[in-house]
Structures are given as C-alpha cells and as structure tokens.
Amino acid sequence: MSAPQRFTPREMIGKLVSFDTTSHLSNLALIEFVEAYLASHGVASRRVMNEDGTKANLFATLGPADQPGGIVLSGHTDVVPVEGQDWSSDPFSVVEREGKLFGRGTSDMKSFIAIALASVPEFLKGGPQVPVHFALSYDEEVGCLGVRPMIDSIIRTMPKPQVVIVGEPSSMKVVNAHKGIQSYNTKVTGLEFHSSQTHLGVSAIQYAAELISFLMKLAGEMRERGDASGRFSPPFTTISVGLIKGGTAVNIIPKSCSFLWEYRPLPDADPSEIIARFNAFAEEQVLPRMRAVFPGAQIETATRAQSPGLGARDGDPGETLVMKLAQCNSAEAVSYNTEAGLFQLADIPTVVCGPGDIAQAHKPDEFVELSQIAECERFMKRLADFVSGRPV
C-alpha cells in the first residue's frame, strides 16, 4: 500500500475545486481522487452510481463500520455553472486574497468536504471508537437527486447513525430547520391567429398570465398565514416565478408560453397544497375557457424538483452533540434547502453545519473566509476527540 497522502485543508480545497463538477458534467474524476486518498489511509469506499454510470455517490467509513451511533459527514460534490458570470479569476483554481479563498464551490460546499477529508489522519489517530462516515453525493444542485439512492443504501446496509451533519454553508452555526422546495415547468398551448382577430385565437401568454396571477394571490395568502415558529426569514412560505418564454411577434396571437416557478414551504406546511390548488384552478377555471375556442388547448405542468424541508427536533442527542462541537448555544433556521430533509425523512437525525456564507453561493467570485476554514478545522478536531473517546 502506498504511503498515506496528506493535505492541509487549504491544499484539499484547492484540489477539490480544480475538478469541474458542474451538475451537467460527470463527477467521477473527483470521486476517483477521493477514493485513492482514502485508500492510502486504509479506508475502503463504496460507490452508488447513477443509471448511466457517469456519476457516483461515495460512501466510506472510518472506524467500526458495524457499530450504531456513527457520525455522518455529508456533502454534495456538484456545483452550479459559471457560464455567463463575470469572474475575476479562474473559477476552478483557488485564489487567496484579502483573507478569502475564491473559487467555484469554496462556499457551496467543497470546503466542508475538503476539511473533513484533510482531517482523516486526525480521525484515525488512536483508532476511532465511534464510526465516522463520509457520504458524498452528486446532483444536489438540480433537485437533491443523487443522495436519494445513497440514503436507501445506508438504510439497508449499515446501523443507524447518531446524526448526519450536512456541511452546507451556515457560517458554522448549527441549523436544525429549513424550508422545502418544489419547482415546476408549466407549458400553456393555445392557438395562433392574426392579432386583429383575438376572438378566433387563444393567447397562451394571456392565460399563462392568469395562472401566474393566481400564484401571486396564493403567495399573498401564504404571507398572511405567516410562520408560527417565528424562526424563518422571510417568515412565510414563498412562491416565485423565475423564467417566462412565449410568443413570436407582436401581431401574432401566441401559440405557446411556458414559465418556471417554485415554492418553498415551511417545514410543517403541507407540501402538496399549492400545486394541488394551482392544478385545480388551471383545470377548472382556465382550461375550459381556452377549449371553448380551441378544443386542442393544453395546460401541462411538469415537476422539476422536489425536496422536503428540515423540521426542528429540539433535544435530539445528535443535535446536542453537534452544538457542543460547534460551540453553539442555540440552533438556527434558514430558508434555503439542503439534502438534510431527505435524511430526516429516512428517520436519521440530521442538522446542517458548515463553513461559508450562503450569500456567496452561486455567485461569480464565490468565496469562503479563511476564518471560517479555521473554525471548521477546530470543529473537526473536536469531532476527532469525541470519536476517539478523548475529552471535547
């Protein structure tokens, strides 16, 4: 066996960022690197592949794999695109300046993965009494797709962990609640006609506007309902329309119009309410008027992504442990979505805690502050002490 590879956290961040794992590309080069690194420390890995074999989740265990109560360090390996963004440096080469590391994924969320991997020698020192599991996923950025088969595999093949720590950027605060996300593509098909003959055509844009107006009314209703917990910002379920496409020319009644929209329900809200009410309005109120002119008119809504929220489980021992490791006295709630809700749905206690600020995610010149890197290093050192039975 080759000598154990060692990287500082800064070196490991640079290495992981150098792999272009934008969601439409493969992540296998990064996975192969991590496998080889772990193997150099005598740690075996297990892949959970996607259907066409172009991407993989990676699962690995340090310490007694058959022991329950382990700690799962979870993170997604994919990043969002850089095309069309104005970067001041190569997004896939980490640049340090003004106390920050710049590069795609430095905040969301390769720094957490890198620091955890760089900590492997510390976790293994003296032999961990509590297992530490690595769970690296693909396609989080396009709907938390990849982690689902890995969670299924974890449930089937290993004892129940004590807690999953999803290392999304939380400024190293412990997050025990976040909103869900549901996103859709609605396509409206009408009938083209000369714009002087509006009574003979069916304007897809006009009826799409009605549907969007209905969504905005629902958004107002959600705002009025508010958030009983008082923890979220904004303090209500949100609805947003992000992209509209339609029409051909100003003097042609448009045949087609499509729009992308989403809502982010509070974790205790019924995640199916909004889509059910939207579909009912479309089918009962809008479509009959369209088909009265053109029987072939259509309103079709396809699901793009669905991911559950994370509900607070106050007093959970796993959460209490992570708060101790992070030296936090209270847990936070956030409005962004993560894979944590899917772990919780599988009855695995889960929290979010990782370096960086979500405000930097997905932006050009994405960065993580060096102070956050140092804080996460201290977190991993305390975790290493805990799993080895040393005082924390």
Side-chain angles (χ1 to χ4, degrees):
M1 187 175 69
S2 60
Q5 300 175 26
R6 291 182 179 270
F7 293 84
T8 66
R10 168 65 176 82
E11 291 170 340
M12 186 65 82
I13 292 169
K15 187 65 178 178
L16 297 190
V17 169
S18 73
F19 294 102
D20 182 356
T21 52
T22 305
S23 299
H24 67 272
L25 301 174
S26 173
N27 72 334
L28 291 184
L30 182 150
I31 293 298
E32 290 167 2
F33 163 75
V34 174
E35 284 176 327
Y37 168 74
L38 291 174
S40 77
H41 291 275
V43 178
S45 304
R46 182 175 80 247
R47 293 189 186 189
V48 181
M49 305 294 298
N50 68 346
E51 289 184 359
D52 62 9
T54 59
K55 299 181 182 181
N57 300 301
L58 192 70
F59 190 81
T61 298
L62 286 63
D66 57 350
Q67 181 175 312
I71 312 298
V72 179
L73 302 177
S74 175
H76 63 83
T77 61
D78 60 318
V79 296
V80 297
V82 299
E83 287 76 16
Q85 294 186 333
D86 185 16
W87 283 76
S88 60
S89 59
D90 178 358
F92 299 106
S93 181
V94 171
V95 173
E96 181 179 337
R97 61 178 184 268
E98 299 176 349
K100 302 169 184 175
L101 299 181
F102 291 83
R104 175 56 88 218
T106 50
S107 178
D108 184 18
M109 58 170 296
K110 288 182 175 179
S111 288
F112 174 82
I113 298 172
I115 299 166
L117 289 171
S119 301
V120 164
E122 188 70 24
F123 290 140
L124 293 175
K125 187 170 63 177
Q129 301 171 18
V130 176
V132 176
H133 309 285
F134 286 86
L136 309 185
S137 68
Y138 65 86
D139 281 0
E140 188 271 351
E141 297 289 4
V142 290
C144 297
L145 303 180
V147 75
R148 299 167 195 257
M150 182 163 60
I151 292 173
D152 292 341
S153 177
I154 289 171
I155 294 171
R156 293 194 314 269
T157 63
M158 62 172 279
K160 184 176 180 178
Q162 178 177 176
V163 68
V164 175
I165 304 170
V166 177
E168 290 278 6
S170 69
S171 299
M172 290 308 297
K173 297 177 182 177
V174 178
V175 170
N176 70 354
H178 66 58
K179 294 180 180 180
I181 187 170
Q182 309 261 357
S183 68
Y184 301 91
N185 182 11
T186 295
K187 182 179 179 181
V188 181
T189 304
L191 180 64
E192 282 182 324
F193 231 88
H194 193 282
S195 62
S196 66
Q197 302 290 302
T198 57
H199 64 298
L200 298 177
V202 176
S203 171
I205 289 178
Q206 172 187 326
Y207 288 105
E210 284 195 36
L211 295 169
I212 292 171
S213 178
F214 178 76
L215 287 174
M216 294 306 97
K217 290 178 182 177
L218 283 181
E221 181 183 324
M222 296 300 118
R223 180 186 289 265
E224 290 298 317
R225 286 190 196 178
D227 163 33
S229 75
R231 301 185 67 199
F232 289 91
S233 178
F236 47 85
T237 291
T238 58
I239 304 176
S240 173
V241 178
L243 180 67
I244 303 175
K245 294 181 178 180
T248 304
V250 69
N251 59 353
I252 301 175
I253 293 173
K255 176 183 178 179
S256 64
C257 182
S258 63
F259 57 95
L260 304 182
W261 60 284
E262 67 164 35
Y263 58 94
R264 294 176 181 257
L266 296 165
D268 60 350
D270 177 1
S272 64
E273 178 190 356
I274 291 172
I275 185 61
R277 292 176 64 181
F278 175 84
N279 286 337
F281 176 76
E283 294 168 10
E284 298 169 12
Q285 301 296 322
V286 180
L287 199 54
R289 287 185 283 116
M290 296 174 67
R291 287 181 172 169
V293 179
F294 173 50
Q298 297 282 346
I299 300 174
E300 301 165 291
T301 297
T303 302
R304 299 182 69 243
Q306 293 178 318
S307 185
L310 177 68
R313 300 289 186 268
D314 294 330
D316 179 86
E319 178 183 321
T320 301
L321 169 63
V322 179
M323 290 176 65
K324 183 177 182 180
L325 297 175
Q327 297 187 336
C328 293
N329 294 322
S330 61
E332 309 280 329
V334 296
S335 292
Y336 58 84
N337 185 261
T338 78
E339 295 169 332
L342 290 165
F343 281 103
Q344 188 180 74
L345 197 63
D347 196 32
I348 305 174
T350 309
V351 296
V352 177
C353 184
D357 189 334
I358 194 64
Q360 305 307 322
H362 302 186
K363 290 183 176 180
D365 285 348
E366 177 183 350
F367 69 81
V368 64
E369 294 184 356
L370 292 175
S371 60
Q372 284 285 295
I373 300 300
E375 190 170 344
C376 189
E377 287 183 67
R378 292 190 290 271
F379 177 97
M380 294 297 173
K381 176 63 169 64
R382 289 189 285 267
L383 176 58
D385 288 339
F386 169 77
V387 300
S388 299
R390 299 187 294 265
V392 179

